[in-house]
Amino acid sequence: MVVAQSLRPHMVVLLDGQVWRVLDVKAHAGGAQTRGVVHARLLNVRTRNESERRFRPEDRVEEGEVEFRTLQYSYRDGNDHVFLYQYKYDSFFDWVCSPNDTHACRVRAYVRNGIVTRLGSTYDYQNYADLYGNHASHNWNPRQCAKGFTFHRVIYGPYRLKHPIVRRGWKAWADAGFPELTPELKSQYKFDSRGDDEFVQISWEDAFDCVAKALVAISTRYSGDAGKQRLLSQGYQPEMVEATHGAGTRCVK
């Protein structure tokens, strides 16, 4: 509780069950036969209506405790205005953003009502190390780009692919058993003109089958001495080829 003569602009008070914000206060001293009076111009926080009240200087007024938040306006429902508090969340989880197999930034996703509403940094890179025990530093925080921070828009976007697609030429090459790509076969399966090829929709079962067969083909083709020779003929550095130790599985990316 505060006395009326202590009211100041921007204070929040409770009157008649309503929340009011003090806009202006003027105190008038009383004379020999009259008592002083405090004039307050108030704004109803809910209705936005203004009101003027008079108080005696010693009147006690209940002061309200209001938490100010930055909200995003959503829509109007009759006399009510609906705002979105975008920083409120029910839970969160961390994931790794690795576009094109690079960067591997850790991202924190904030969930509200089962929907990811925003993404942010984990601010914990100083706790991570590589296989050799080399630790990152606090200087790595935060470690996301604008594309990573808005990735949830891709997930919920209207043009998001919800089924697997594959190039028609690649699918034909896979169905043929992944033969060695000679110049003639590159043209046949459109590896030298992929921009002119078309995508076709396949089932998830077929997609998993294609991926499994491709992994087996790569691992087999680049294993052993024959695999080393293929890698060298394709222009890979000898040091890189030796690092595979003849294991084609190390050529899978």
Side-chain angles (χ1 to χ4, degrees):
M1 303 290 285
V2 295
V3 293
Q5 64 182 4
S6 298
L7 292 177
R8 296 292 183 271
H10 307 298
M11 290 180 64
V12 176
V13 296
L14 304 179
L15 294 172
D16 305 325
Q18 298 288 322
V19 181
W20 302 83
R21 186 175 184 182
V22 180
L23 299 179
D24 188 32
V25 180
K26 293 182 178 179
H28 299 276
Q33 303 297 324
T34 61
R35 308 178 67 179
V37 64
V38 175
H39 290 270
R41 187 162 61 92
L42 308 174
L43 174 69
N44 190 300
V45 173
R46 180 176 178 81
T47 65
R48 311 303 294 176
N49 294 327
E50 291 189 19
S51 176
E52 291 195 7
R53 299 291 183 93
R54 291 185 176 186
F55 304 95
R56 292 175 298 179
E58 67 273 12
D59 286 344
R60 302 184 69 83
V61 182
E62 184 178 357
E63 185 176 6
E65 294 184 4
V66 178
E67 180 181 356
F68 291 94
R69 296 176 177 176
T70 301
L71 304 179
Q72 179 180 343
Y73 180 76
S74 294
Y75 60 91
R76 182 174 181 175
D77 184 10
N79 293 326
D80 293 330
H81 297 269
V82 180
F83 293 84
L84 171 65
Y85 181 38
Q86 62 179 346
Y87 295 106
K88 182 179 180 181
Y89 60 92
D90 301 324
S91 62
F92 67 85
F93 63 90
D94 296 341
W95 59 285
V96 176
C97 182
S98 296
N100 303 319
D101 301 323
T102 59
H103 300 96
C105 298
R106 291 173 55 83
V107 187
R108 180 156 295 175
Y110 296 89
V111 182
R112 185 174 181 181
N113 296 329
I115 302 295
V116 176
T117 58
R118 64 184 175 92
L119 302 175
S121 179
T122 57
Y123 290 98
D124 58 358
Y125 272 94
Q126 66 280 0
N127 300 327
Y128 293 93
D130 60 18
L131 295 176
Y132 306 101
N134 299 313
H135 272 267
S137 69
H138 288 83
N139 294 330
W140 284 50
N141 297 314
R143 185 177 164 80
Q144 276 86 44
C145 66
K147 188 175 182 179
F149 277 134
T150 56
F151 193 79
H152 58 301
R153 297 187 181 181
V154 177
I155 297 176
Y156 300 116
Y159 303 108
R160 175 195 174 189
L161 279 175
K162 298 182 180 179
H163 52 74
I165 58 175
V166 64
R167 273 198 315 111
R168 186 180 297 276
W170 190 94
K171 183 66 165 56
W173 177 60
D175 292 340
F178 304 98
E180 188 78 25
L181 285 174
T182 62
E184 295 76 19
L185 289 183
K186 284 185 178 181
S187 297
Q188 177 181 338
Y189 298 122
K190 292 185 177 296
F191 275 85
D192 54 2
S193 57
R194 289 181 293 181
D196 297 329
D197 204 353
E198 63 177 337
F199 285 98
V200 294
Q201 180 178 342
I202 61 175
S203 67
W204 285 106
E205 184 178 356
D206 288 341
F208 296 145
D209 189 56
C210 286
V211 172
K213 288 181 179 179
L215 294 176
V216 172
I218 294 171
S219 301
T220 303
R221 177 163 295 162
Y222 294 106
S223 289
D225 292 335
K228 288 184 178 181
Q229 293 304 316
R230 286 193 179 95
L231 291 171
L232 291 172
S233 65
Q234 292 175 13
Y236 287 94
Q237 295 295 324
E239 295 83 358
M240 296 177 63
V241 176
E242 287 300 323
T244 67
H245 297 287
T249 52
R250 294 195 171 188
C251 300
V252 175
K253 180 179 179 181

